[in-house]
Amino acid sequence: MKPLVLFSLFLVCIQTGFASFKPDTTIKYSSSSDSTITRSSSNSDTTVIKKSKNVRFEWSIGKNDSDSSKSIRTHRKAPGVIYGLTLSRFDLGFSKLVYNGSFTLSDANNFLEYNGWKTTTVGFDLLQFGYRFNSSFKIYLAAGFDWTLIRLKKNITMSRNSPVLAYEVSDVEFDKNRFSSTYIRLPLSFEWRSKDDNRGNKFRLIAGPDMGFLLNGKVKQKSSENGKQKFNDNYHFATFRYGAFARIGYGGTGLFAKYYFNDMFENSPAQEGLQNMSFGVSLGF
């Protein structure tokens, strides 16, 4: 878990650094029928804006002063296609297993009993493509990564290459027994935002469907007898998952919640009706 936490903190530091970094050079690209390039040196933030008819690419670094922020907001209000690389919507929170609408696991799933305070979710977006209708509303499809990290209470080891989700009881007392999945996430976002307040911040409400494709499953264990051990397998995690999410926030910080409609595991009858939800803090709107 420590490498993931450190990586998460690294991403937050990047986001914070982007918010405070002020380079000397400002480069702006703009286009109507012909393309023009202008370069200027100042103490303002770096803003790269490329526009070709209705297609737009925006990349901004830095905390905008009053003049530059007005210029940037004017550009962003224009309708058009938006696309590009991003490091945003960083989610950090708790994950819960839900069995037929209850947080209580069935007897058949009792081996998955977990520590609720150490069962977490982490995720962020790296790409996005969408359309801005006006200054208040836009739709975009994003792509990123999402991890669910289940801290098991029992001294068991999940079986690999098993026809159904299965486990073996271990004589070893584990200091850590983590059962996790990694997904490529593809959320389709419908975003509404308010006008800037007197501090230059907005309220945002984002919701939509969330889809994901399994990359891998993993068991990570730590004990005095065996040291650190890692085992990789799909562990019958759903190859494709689908659900819904919502975010609400102010400025660059908010809250999120996600719920997946299909079963958490596939081709394993004893786990039918077992689903996954998560909630927590979202940074970098």
Side-chain angles (χ1 to χ4, degrees):
M1 183 62 182
K2 288 184 180 179
L4 183 58
V5 171
L6 292 175
F7 182 62
S8 303
L9 292 175
F10 172 71
L11 293 176
V12 174
C13 290
I14 291 177
Q15 189 74 28
T16 305
F18 279 5
S20 59
F21 177 62
K22 290 193 173 185
D24 293 332
T25 303
T26 297
I27 306 173
K28 296 186 179 181
Y29 299 87
S30 63
S31 172
S32 52
S33 57
D34 298 325
S35 297
T36 60
I37 300 175
T38 61
R39 297 174 181 265
S40 62
S41 295
S42 66
N43 293 324
S44 62
D45 311 313
T46 298
T47 304
V48 181
I49 301 175
K50 182 178 180 181
K51 179 181 178 183
S52 177
K53 295 182 179 180
N54 290 327
V55 180
R56 304 176 54 75
F57 175 79
E58 299 180 8
W59 172 29
S60 297
I61 300 177
K63 184 178 180 181
N64 304 312
D65 56 35
S66 58
D67 295 333
S68 61
S69 64
K70 288 180 181 178
S71 174
I72 291 172
R73 286 199 296 270
T74 300
H75 283 292
R76 289 180 174 174
K77 288 180 180 179
V81 175
I82 54 174
Y83 65 93
L85 298 172
T86 182
L87 180 58
S88 56
R89 295 173 287 277
F90 176 80
D91 298 329
L92 180 61
F94 299 103
S95 187
K96 296 291 183 182
L97 274 60
V98 182
Y99 177 69
N100 289 332
S102 172
F103 292 125
T104 302
L105 298 176
S106 65
D107 293 338
N109 292 311
N110 194 47
F111 68 96
L112 291 171
E113 184 181 5
Y114 59 94
N115 186 323
W117 291 106
K118 294 183 178 181
T119 295
T120 57
T121 183
V122 179
F124 54 88
D125 291 337
L126 288 175
L127 299 169
Q128 65 180 14
F129 178 86
Y131 189 85
R132 183 186 302 281
F133 292 88
N134 52 49
S135 60
S136 298
F137 184 69
K138 65 180 179 180
I139 299 175
Y140 54 92
L141 177 67
F145 297 97
D146 198 272
W147 291 267
T148 298
L149 310 167
I150 304 171
R151 182 67 69 88
L152 297 174
K153 286 186 175 182
K154 299 184 183 298
N155 295 315
I156 62 173
T157 299
M158 309 305 298
S159 301
R160 291 182 290 177
N161 302 316
S162 176
V164 296
L165 184 64
Y167 65 95
E168 298 175 359
V169 178
S170 177
D171 295 332
V172 174
E173 183 75 22
F174 295 117
D175 299 320
K176 177 189 292 185
N177 192 8
R178 194 176 72 194
F179 184 36
S180 63
S181 62
T182 304
Y183 280 84
I184 293 177
R185 73 180 195 185
L186 298 167
L188 177 61
S189 300
F190 297 82
E191 178 177 333
W192 173 87
R193 64 183 189 179
S194 68
K195 295 181 179 179
D196 289 4
D197 60 16
N198 53 10
R199 301 178 62 182
N201 292 323
K202 303 177 178 66
F203 286 98
R204 285 180 168 87
L205 177 62
I206 310 172
D210 191 1
M211 301 165 287
F213 292 92
L214 180 68
L215 287 178
N216 74 299
K218 179 183 289 187
V219 169
K220 183 177 181 180
Q221 297 173 332
K222 181 180 179 182
S223 64
S224 57
E225 292 88 346
N226 299 327
K228 295 181 180 180
Q229 293 180 299
K230 297 179 182 179
F231 309 99
N232 293 306
D233 192 65
N234 63 16
Y235 293 109
H236 289 274
F237 282 108
T239 305
F240 174 74
R241 67 181 186 181
Y242 57 91
F245 76 94
R247 289 188 180 88
I248 185 170
Y250 172 75
T253 306
L255 302 174
F256 79 91
K258 302 178 186 179
Y259 187 87
Y260 296 101
F261 302 142
N262 60 323
D263 290 343
M264 191 173 182
F265 301 96
E266 62 185 11
N267 302 322
S268 189
Q271 280 67 55
E272 289 183 2
L274 187 63
Q275 299 167 318
N276 182 26
M277 71 166 294
S278 59
F279 58 90
V281 177
S282 190
L283 305 173
F285 273 64

